[in-house]
Amino acid sequence: MSDTNSNSTVPETSHVPVVLIENVNPNVRNMEYAVRGPIVARAAEIDSEIKNGVKKPFAKVLPANIGDCHATGQTPITFIRQMQKERAKKRILAGCRGGSIGSYSGSPGVEVIRQDIAAYITKRDDVPSKSEDVILCTGASDGIKTILSMLMTGKTGNERAGIMIPVPQYPLYSATLTEYNAQPIRYFMNEENNWSLDISELRRAIEEAKSKCLPRAICVINPGNPTGQVLTRQNIEDVIKFAHDERLMILSDEVYQHNVYAKGSEFFSFKKVLMEMGAPYNRHELASFMSASKGFMGECGFRGGYFEVVNFHPAVKACLLKTISVKLCPPVAGQAVIDCVVNPPVLGDPSYDRFMKEKTHVLSQLKEKANLVTELFNSIEGIKCNTVQGAMYSFPQIFLPPKAIEAAKAKGQTPDSFYCFSLLEETGLCVVPGSGFGQKEGTYHFRMTILPPLEEIRINIVKLAYGSPRLSGNDLHLCTFINKWRSCDSYNIL
Ligand SMILES: Cc1ncc(COP(=O)(O)O)c(C=O)c1O
């Protein structure tokens, strides 16, 4: 091509971008994902301000906004790292094409890993699982999006697919439904009863939605994010009966299945309960999701995940296999990490003792932090926090004075965002406003992970309650964050 046609003849300024924000797919434009939203961007700015010598009333930002375990100080499990070299060399590499982890695997994943996962599920549930029903994915997020995409009816009005999602929910669900132009059918978790799931509320939500969309599935997150509840077996049975009666497929997000802390709480998989309920429920369609990102391993960056499809019609399953084949395959290194999770060292293996010690340590620390967070939040006037029974988050309710609510509205922010931004600026604690997950009208919350080190959590909650210590000269000046919010008059923004 000759240079005469090049940009030199066209003034730089005359180029109008072909893709403008106005003509980006509106569904993509309208997606929101609070976990990495504006408050997190501000936290990153504050971090670099501190590095550049700007004085703040705190030494560093404490990121308690995202369930990224290693990023907040958790030590990786040694076995998983060793295995990346050792086991990969033998069994997994033998299952890889050309004996290389750098080859594409089959689209549903490496066959030996699918077998290991099926064996894990069988042992966990005492109910058979088949490797043909196990599909590896790029983190659970990818699997959830794949299944949801299959349920879209792609139409408008009351033929548009409706998907039941909890409120509060992990925003992957609301964002994906926006992207796919589906109708979220929101059911509220019962905060007064430790975020339990009430069947009467499911009925209310679906009845109201029937004139607006075509209800197709119900998503349940157990243990819950951001709410931290663990469903009882009876509750799961009731959800299955409801889904069966309403002809809804079940998506059970069970990525926190290893994260159960509260006395009396126990994890039951939807698959186990559904199968043990017998006919007709044991024929009902279910997809359940698991991840390498959570549990005791927290290997978020490997993007390992899988889902098990139960009772799918053969033609639908073939269609599913076709759609995942377009993505070629999930990362093989992530698949290998999942293999470690489902196939850990056993008694007698050289890595067994160390593996058990590290796993137990991580889970017992999380349990201690879950208790500490609940206790500390509930000791503060103006905050109420349900027991963190499982998962990795607390979701306390904050009671804001009317003047604070007005001031937030005047600034064009939701009151909880306003609160969280102030909290970040004053104390360095980065949490996510409840509005990013959904909450009952007129209530305000935030989500704080229980991942940072115990002592840092304690210090930050105490700072939140009683003020962040500021040193000026020899004086220790206590700026009382919560007290400022209670008596808005002394709060400088108000
Ligand atoms: C409830 C829930 N589901 C799914 C995911 C996605 O996990 P992954 O990293 O496997 O994509 C998360 C991540 O935080 C989550 O909390």
Side-chain angles (χ1 to χ4, degrees):
M1 228 216 280
S2 113
D3 259 345
T4 45
N5 278 346
S6 76
N7 286 348
S8 59
T9 55
V10 182
E12 194 64 35
T13 48
S14 72
H15 176 72
V16 178
V18 177
V19 185
L20 290 164
I21 192 66
E22 295 79 20
N23 59 26
V24 162
N25 177 348
N27 298 335
V28 174
R29 201 171 56 221
N30 294 335
M31 284 167 74
E32 284 180 18
Y33 185 69
V35 175
R36 292 182 181 228
I39 197 152
V40 185
R42 177 64 194 135
E45 269 172 27
I46 293 178
D47 244 348
S48 59
E49 284 169 17
I50 292 174
K51 280 188 193 114
N52 292 328
V54 178
K55 289 273 167 293
K56 299 277 173 191
F58 46 86
K60 60 173 186 171
V61 169
L62 185 68
N65 57 292
I66 190 164
D68 190 352
C69 311
H70 296 184
T72 18
Q74 186 179 306
T75 314
I77 300 284
T78 309
F79 167 72
I80 294 180
R81 293 305 158 92
Q82 285 170 340
M83 193 286 322
Q84 281 295 21
K85 301 182 215 111
E86 291 309 313
R87 197 187 287 179
K89 267 192 217 143
K90 300 176 190 146
R91 192 148 173 274
I92 294 176
L93 279 189
C96 291
R97 293 164 184 165
S100 167
I101 205 159
S103 317
Y104 290 126
S105 71
S107 297
V110 175
E111 185 49 35
V112 287
I113 300 178
R114 296 173 81 196
Q115 285 165 11
D116 288 348
I117 294 169
Y120 162 81
I121 297 172
T122 304
K123 186 160 174 242
R124 181 195 67 192
D125 292 345
D126 208 9
V127 167
S129 165
K130 302 189 291 265
S131 64
E132 310 93 270
D133 292 339
V134 171
I135 299 188
L136 285 118
C137 46
T138 308
S141 312
D142 169 46
I144 293 164
K145 292 189 76 161
T146 301
I147 293 292
L148 286 174
S149 75
M150 292 194 64
L151 296 169
M152 294 303 112
T153 38
K155 302 209 175 108
T156 53
N158 62 2
E159 291 189 357
R160 197 159 71 118
I163 308 288
M164 299 194 77
I165 56 169
V167 178
Q169 48 99 38
Y170 173 56
L172 163 70
Y173 290 93
S174 51
T176 303
L177 297 186
T178 305
E179 182 184 354
Y180 293 173
N181 189 33
Q183 172 77 38
I185 306 174
R186 298 188 171 89
Y187 63 89
F188 288 87
M189 304 300 289
N190 185 351
E191 183 166 17
E192 282 67 49
N193 190 20
N194 217 94
W195 297 116
S196 61
L197 199 171
D198 293 349
I199 304 301
S200 56
E201 170 58 10
L202 295 183
R203 286 204 195 95
R204 179 210 58 80
I206 201 163
E207 288 312 322
E208 278 182 31
K210 277 178 182 166
S211 61
K212 299 185 203 130
C213 62
L214 186 64
R216 302 223 59 201
I218 177 167
C219 303
V220 181
I221 310 174
N222 180 45
N225 175 9
T227 38
Q229 86 290 353
V230 179
L231 300 185
T232 62
R233 187 186 173 113
Q234 181 59 52
N235 212 186
I236 295 173
E237 278 189 20
D238 293 341
V239 174
I240 293 169
K241 282 184 188 153
F242 169 83
H244 177 264
D245 293 348
E246 297 290 346
R247 299 192 50 73
L248 299 171
M249 189 194 148
I250 302 169
L251 280 79
S252 60
D253 183 331
E254 298 175 340
V255 300
Y256 297 101
Q257 59 191 261
H258 292 290
N259 300 102
V260 176
Y261 318 114
K263 217 169 165 201
S265 293
E266 192 181 342
F267 170 75
F268 292 98
S269 77
F270 265 73
K271 157 91 178 298
K272 176 180 176 70
V273 176
L274 179 134
M275 287 302 177
E276 290 180 352
M277 282 168 79
Y281 306 108
N282 59 0
R283 304 284 305 277
H284 198 77
E285 290 118 299
L286 163 76
S288 67
F289 303 87
M290 174 56 174
S291 170
S293 305
K294 311 297 167 187
F296 56 90
M297 48 286 180
E299 296 281 5
C300 305
F302 277 99
R303 310 306 299 128
Y306 71 81
F307 56 100
E308 183 184 24
V309 293
V310 180
N311 295 326
F312 272 38
H313 187 281
V316 175
K317 194 152 157 213
C319 189
L320 171 64
L321 293 173
K322 179 187 68 184
T323 175
I324 61 163
S325 71
V326 179
K327 294 186 274 191
L328 296 171
C329 71
V332 180
Q335 298 185 45
V337 168
I338 270 285
D339 192 67
C340 294
V341 175
V342 296
N343 189 12
V346 292
L347 191 63
D349 286 352
S351 325
Y352 178 77
D353 288 343
R354 185 166 183 178
F355 172 78
M356 287 309 288
K357 202 166 138 222
E358 291 177 353
K359 175 180 169 180
T360 312
H361 175 71
V362 171
L363 291 176
S364 66
Q365 283 275 299
L366 285 171
K367 182 174 176 170
E368 208 175 315
K369 290 188 258 187
N371 292 338
L372 176 79
V373 161
T374 315
E375 206 178 289
L376 282 180
F377 276 140
N378 284 327
S379 71
I380 302 172
E381 205 188 317
I383 296 193
K384 197 168 130 242
C385 185
N386 277 326
T387 305
V388 180
Q389 296 173 327
M392 296 178 168
Y393 314 93
S394 58
F395 197 66
Q397 182 167 174
I398 43 178
F399 297 91
L400 303 178
K403 213 170 155 194
I405 295 170
E406 277 165 37
K409 286 185 181 153
K411 269 190 111 186
Q413 281 182 320
T414 58
D416 51 357
S417 293
F418 186 51
Y419 178 92
C420 292
F421 269 104
S422 311
L423 185 64
L424 174 65
E425 297 289 345
E426 295 234 353
T427 69
L429 180 59
C430 181
V431 297
V432 187
S435 44
F437 306 91
Q439 56 199 347
K440 262 200 173 137
E441 181 88 29
T443 67
Y444 306 107
H445 301 76
F446 62 80
R447 187 189 81 168
M448 188 184 94
T449 71
I450 58 166
L451 295 174
L454 202 84
E455 231 6 71
E456 291 198 28
I457 290 186
R458 193 194 306 276
I459 291 167
N460 274 271
I461 298 185
V462 168
K463 266 196 327 195
L464 182 155
Y466 303 111
S468 63
R470 288 184 189 175
L471 284 171
S472 68
N474 290 331
D475 298 334
L476 182 67
H477 172 62
L478 278 183
C479 123
T480 312
F481 186 78
I482 280 280
N483 279 343
K484 274 187 185 172
W485 277 83
R486 276 198 219 108
S487 60
C488 297
D489 296 340
S490 59
Y491 198 62
N492 58 12
I493 312 177
L494 305 180

